[in-house]
Amino acid sequence: MMGYANMEQIASGIHFRLRARTFIVAEPQGNRVVFVNLDACMASQIVKIKVIERLKARYGDLYTEKNVAISGIHTHAGPGGYLQYVVYIVTSLGFVRQSFDALVDGIEKSVLQAHENLRPGSIFVNKGELLDASISRSPSAYLNNPASERGKYKYNVDKEMTLLKFVDDQWGPVGSFNWFATHGTSMSRTNSLISGDNKGAAARFMEDWFEQSNAGHSSADELVSEGIPRRVSDIISDFRNNHHELLELAASFQSPPGKAATKILSVARRVRGILREAEKPGFVSAFCQSNCGDVSPNVLGAFCIDSGLPCDFNHSTCGGKNEMCYGRGPGYPDEFESTRIIGERQFRKAVDLFNKASEKLEGKIDYRHSYLDFSQLEVTIPKQNGGSETVKTCPAAMGFAFAAGTTDGPGAFDFTQGDDKPSILPIQILQVGQLVILSVPGEFTTMAGRRLRDAVKTVVTTTGESNSNVHVVLAGLTNSYSQYVTTFEEYQVQRYEGASTLYGPHTLSAYIQEFKKLASALLSGQPVELGPQPPDLLDKQISFLTPVVMDSTPIGVNFGDCKSDVPQNTTFRRGEMVTVSFWSACPRNDLMTEGTFALVEILHGKDIWAPAYDDDDFCLRFKWSRPSKLSARSMATIEWRIPDTAPLGVYRIRHFGAAKSLLGSTRHFTGSSSAFVVA
């Protein structure tokens, strides 16, 4: 998995699905911009190169690297192996083509859907503070910034969320995108389930909220008062209240043998989309990343796991050792609960801003993009005693503190890395009326992001534009990835973020200088130099990840057979966990993209089973395991934490999968548990 650089963090299931969410804003016969919010740790240069190649093959020069931005939400619970530089794919045993293809395919499909959905409409913007979803994880480095500068801000992290509300002239609201800084590290470095972490969860909650509100609900409080939004309200018929009748009905549905299935069956049984009107575009809600470099969602602070005492303030160590210092989320010690809480807090704030958004974006659509070689970039900076001097950025290198990790996920090894190959990086500005998006290929710290935003805003409001109500947002981890960017003062402290600022202490000054050039060109209507092209190293990638050889089951057992069923005549209560396991096969045989590995169905009438929850739901977890690494046998365990809003009735759990034979062919299968009662 990607983010913690932990080779033992090997994916073994799904918490909930990862998505690419896209908005396109276009002038009739004029400019257009594309912003893709990707449920991944960060953007990848090679991913964007290949996405643009596909878009150019389909649309010509309508969509290019200049007007398309791809931004990662920074979940640390997504797949690794999709970046092209070695330092970022060591822990995934090299390049993973399957993960790379899934990302490129998903982004392409998302952009295509947005392109097909282009319709006349309006965009509204709103901003507000969210106080309880983030803290600083490097406060000692922040304190090294000038006191006069720190005094301009109320908090040592950015608490402001900026939200866009997209309104179709015919259908009304069709989406919202917002930017807020907090790390995607609510899920820990020992988690092995694919997850969008807190931002992915927030997106799930808001999309479900909107679908449910269209179905007759009115407020976020109503839908999350019991934890998370409901998903199945209108597809569920009146539930029965005769417990004895329900038990008798459930007893008539015992677990059948596993059987062959088609892949399309898994797709057809998905829950998402059932509530939508056939012609109306589905509501898309994206929770985008910003300057999260030193910002943690583990808001209870960092503590030593051996003593329970707070970690050392300056070094985030316990008795001199970094391995014992961990941040605690609001649901501690339950990382799933922490993810839900931080996601829900962002979701609630977004709903509030969405409902109150009234400032309309008006004006031109434009963009500027350039590639820069950050290894030897000349930067003019002011001198303390007046005047200026020219300095240079440095070839890429990491300091020793990089290996120590952070309180969100301590490191376990020491090394210094130097490599000038990934030094060509993109910078980009997108303008939609009075909104300006700064696409940066890294993790800016709080103060670094503030300085960059302020510098660009100064240019925008003094050069050719009189509109002082400009909104400048920083989109982190966008288009490529080059680790962290700190202020000059924070760099001197050499905490993790400073040690991971690849191009030296003047990296931020270089970004500010070059973004000011882009902003000036944007306002004056002048072109900018494209710059040196980044390399395409796809054909040079290697992988040490072993392929799936074959899958098998014990003699007399089918793929999909229930290995551990629910007890007969069982009644579960809301809030309880239902656990079922099946004889299964490696999920890598088919990622079930746009399908599901796990499904909860509810009984309608006497014999009609309707989808209620799938592996895209926060309450349902799909876990895969095998007895040993060399075993061809494997099991799928499905856990359903019954939501407090689940309708009463008769349920069953199903599993979908694909098994590989020794000859290499793949066949799909499905299995089902016995029925049980929720009362």
Side-chain angles (χ1 to χ4, degrees), residues 608-645:
I608 299 176
W609 290 98
Y613 303 91
D614 60 26
D615 67 13
D616 203 11
D617 272 291
F618 199 88
C619 63
L620 191 65
R621 301 173 196 168
F622 166 72
K623 299 180 177 180
W624 179 79
S625 62
R626 54 184 173 182
S628 66
K629 288 186 176 181
L630 298 179
S631 175
R633 298 177 182 177
S634 63
M635 287 74 67
T637 300
I638 298 173
E639 297 176 350
W640 181 39
R641 177 71 69 182
I642 305 174
D644 292 339
T645 52

Side-chain angles (χ1 to χ4, degrees), residues 436-664:
V436 175
I437 302 172
L438 311 180
S439 301
V440 297
E443 304 174 56
F444 278 57
T445 61
T446 297
M447 194 64 85
R450 287 168 173 169
R451 290 184 188 177
L452 178 60
R453 288 198 308 260
D454 288 348
V456 171
K457 188 169 185 177
T458 298
V459 173
V460 171
T461 55
T462 59
T463 309
E465 290 281 339
S466 59
N467 183 6
S468 61
N469 198 33
V470 65
H471 305 278
V472 180
V473 296
L474 187 149
L477 305 117
T478 301
N479 295 328
S480 187
Y481 183 64
S482 61
Q483 304 230 36
Y484 287 76
V485 179
T486 64
T487 66
F488 179 87
E489 295 83 359
E490 291 166 346
Y491 186 89
Q492 311 308 313
V493 179
Q494 281 294 291
R495 282 182 62 93
Y496 178 84
E497 294 81 14
S500 302
T501 297
L502 297 185
Y503 302 104
H506 302 296
T507 301
L508 175 60
S509 295
Y511 273 105
I512 291 174
Q513 171 182 284
E514 298 304 317
F515 264 101
K516 288 172 70 174
K517 293 179 183 177
L518 282 193
S520 296
L522 184 78
L523 293 172
S524 63
Q526 297 299 311
V528 295
E529 291 185 10
L530 182 60
Q533 285 290 312
D536 179 345
L537 304 178
L538 185 60
D539 293 338
K540 298 182 179 180
Q541 299 301 317
I542 59 174
S543 175
F544 297 100
L545 183 66
T546 55
V548 179
V549 178
M550 65 170 293
D551 299 286
S552 69
T553 60
I555 297 175
V557 174
N558 299 325
F559 289 106
D561 278 3
C562 213
K563 186 174 184 293
S564 177
D565 201 1
V566 293
Q568 289 189 351
N569 300 317
T570 303
T571 298
F572 293 93
R573 306 293 179 187
R574 291 164 172 163
E576 293 181 340
M577 180 81 81
V578 183
T579 303
V580 180
S581 64
F582 299 88
W583 287 103
S584 189
C586 184
R588 289 166 58 198
N589 294 327
D590 189 329
L591 300 180
M592 297 294 181
T593 304
E594 301 299 346
T596 183
F597 288 107
L599 183 69
V600 175
E601 295 179 321
I602 187 170
L603 185 63
H604 285 185
K606 298 291 185 180
D607 57 2
I608 299 176
W609 290 98
Y613 303 91
D614 60 26
D615 67 13
D616 203 11
D617 272 291
F618 199 88
C619 63
L620 191 65
R621 301 173 196 168
F622 166 72
K623 299 180 177 180
W624 179 79
S625 62
R626 54 184 173 182
S628 66
K629 288 186 176 181
L630 298 179
S631 175
R633 298 177 182 177
S634 63
M635 287 74 67
T637 300
I638 298 173
E639 297 176 350
W640 181 39
R641 177 71 69 182
I642 305 174
D644 292 339
T645 52
L648 308 183
V650 177
Y651 289 85
R652 71 179 182 184
I653 293 177
R654 293 185 67 182
H655 169 47
F656 298 90
K660 185 176 182 180
S661 72
L662 187 58
L663 297 177

Side-chain angles (χ1 to χ4, degrees), residues 390-438:
T390 300
V391 296
K392 285 187 176 182
T393 55
C394 308
M398 299 180 209
F400 285 108
F402 162 77
T406 70
T407 58
D408 289 334
F413 52 88
D414 288 315
F415 71 90
T416 302
Q417 184 267 350
D419 184 4
D420 61 2
K421 295 297 184 183
S423 61
I424 298 174
L425 296 172
I427 61 171
Q428 179 188 51
I429 294 182
L430 306 180
Q431 179 184 7
V432 181
Q434 64 267 37
L435 176 76
V436 175
I437 302 172
L438 311 180

